[in-house]
Amino acid sequence: MKAFRLDELEAERAANEGAYLQFLRERNMSVGLYALSAGEHDPQKPHDQDEVYFVVSGRASITVGLETTEVARGSVVYVPAGSAHKFHHISEDLRVLVVFSPPEA
C-alpha cells in the first residue's frame, strides 16, 4: 500500500517551487498535486493522456474544449486526451489532485 497526506504533499510541492508535484506513478496511471494561486494564469497545454481533476480546495472556472464550468472543493472534472483545457478566474487558491491515464510522460 502507498498512502499520502495532502499537507505533506503540499509542503513537498512548495519546497520544490513548482505548481505540480507528481507523487505516484504506476504502469497505468500517475497522480499529482497541482496548485494555482488566486489570480494566477494556468499555462497548461493539451496532454496526450486522459485526466481526472479532483478539486481539494479553492474556487475557479475551468474550460475544456468549448465548455466552461465553475469548480470548488469536491468538484470532479474529466478531460479527454488532446483536449484544450485551462483553469481561469481563480478566485481562491486552487489545489487539485490530477490523475493521468496512462501515466504522464
Side-chain angles (χ1 to χ4, degrees):
M1 175 172 67
K2 296 177 183 176
F4 305 91
R5 291 180 44 107
L6 281 173
D7 57 344
E8 293 171 354
L9 294 171
E10 175 61 18
E12 183 179 348
R13 185 205 57 78
N16 289 322
E17 299 179 1
Y20 184 73
L21 171 70
Q22 180 177 277
F23 61 88
L24 179 65
R25 184 178 181 85
E26 297 294 332
R27 185 172 56 88
N28 293 316
M29 69 169 194
S30 60
V31 184
L33 178 64
Y34 190 45
L36 294 167
S37 297
E40 189 172 355
H41 169 75
D42 182 3
Q44 291 192 81
K45 296 188 177 7
H47 305 285
D48 294 331
Q49 305 83 2
D50 287 339
E51 290 178 85
V52 173
Y53 290 120
F54 174 75
V55 178
V56 175
S57 63
R59 185 173 301 278
S61 294
I62 185 171
T63 298
V64 179
L66 300 176
E67 295 182 84
T68 299
T69 191
E70 292 184 14
V71 294
R73 185 176 66 120
S75 297
V76 178
V77 178
Y78 168 67
V79 180
S83 296
H85 59 287
K86 291 205 183 300
F87 289 100
H88 52 92
H89 296 96
I90 302 167
S91 59
E92 296 176 15
D93 292 352
L94 197 60
R95 298 299 180 267
V96 181
L97 287 177
V98 184
V99 179
F100 285 100
S101 181
E104 184 182 29

